Amino acid sequence: NCLGASTTQYYLKEGANTYSYPMSLENILNEKGEKYEVNNCGSGGYASSDILVRFLLQNIDTNPNAVILYHAYNDIRSYLTSDFKSDYSHSRKNLGESYFKFYLGSLMPNLPLKFLNYLQNKFFPQNHRYTLIETISKGNFDISNVENIELGLNAYKRNIQNIITVCKHNKIQIILCTFCFYLHDKVKNSETHNLYKKIVIKENEIIKNLAEINNIDIVDA
């Protein structure tokens, strides 16, 4: 089972070919002569808390031999939202609270004017791929809320450790991965993106530390 967020879940299409890292991994493993099933358990927008809950309530019931966890970045919005709570309830709300907006948006025609489309998608979104995070977020997000970062990193570490503990208890091999983060030229001078990069580096340090103290495998990206 491959756990993570959009970087695990999403599929890339080029010509007639479709790619994802779980699909590629399954192909590589099956070339060795044995039959492997690699499940894509990623979900776009998930934070480590979401991954933990879904793993405990759903993914583990597939009885995996191994779990690969590739995750960082998505928790950061919660770190930088005021009135921090370790369960992220200060920064997340249930999609059901705003689902009616998607329903109403689906009834509206797609207008050929960009400004009208912007207003329509802001208040009555039609495409969850581009509006999901905003829809499920709440609270005062501000990159100046740096006092929350260490609290957030502690919650991130706790969530990952809990996944590790459950896997080891159930004799499931777990493999951790550090997270790739690249600043493209268009954003390399952005204060927000540079702050995110610094925090991802800290999240990667946590992943390395957890792999060491739990004596488990790690892929250092």
Side-chain angles (χ1 to χ4, degrees), residues 30-43:
N30 287 335
E31 287 174 359
K32 298 182 181 297
E34 296 185 47
K35 181 64 176 176
Y36 291 89
E37 177 183 301
V38 179
N39 298 311
N40 187 337
C41 299
S43 187

Side-chain angles (χ1 to χ4, degrees), residues 5 13 15 30 37 48 56 59 64 96 99 105 118 123 132 137 142 145 165 183-184 186 189 216 219:
K13 189 173 180 62
N30 287 335
E37 177 183 301
S48 61
L56 293 175
N59 303 148
Y99 184 76
Y118 167 77
F123 296 104
L132 178 61
S137 296
D142 189 335
N145 288 324
T165 300
L183 286 177
H184 293 274
K186 290 183 178 180
N189 296 318
I216 55 179
V219 177

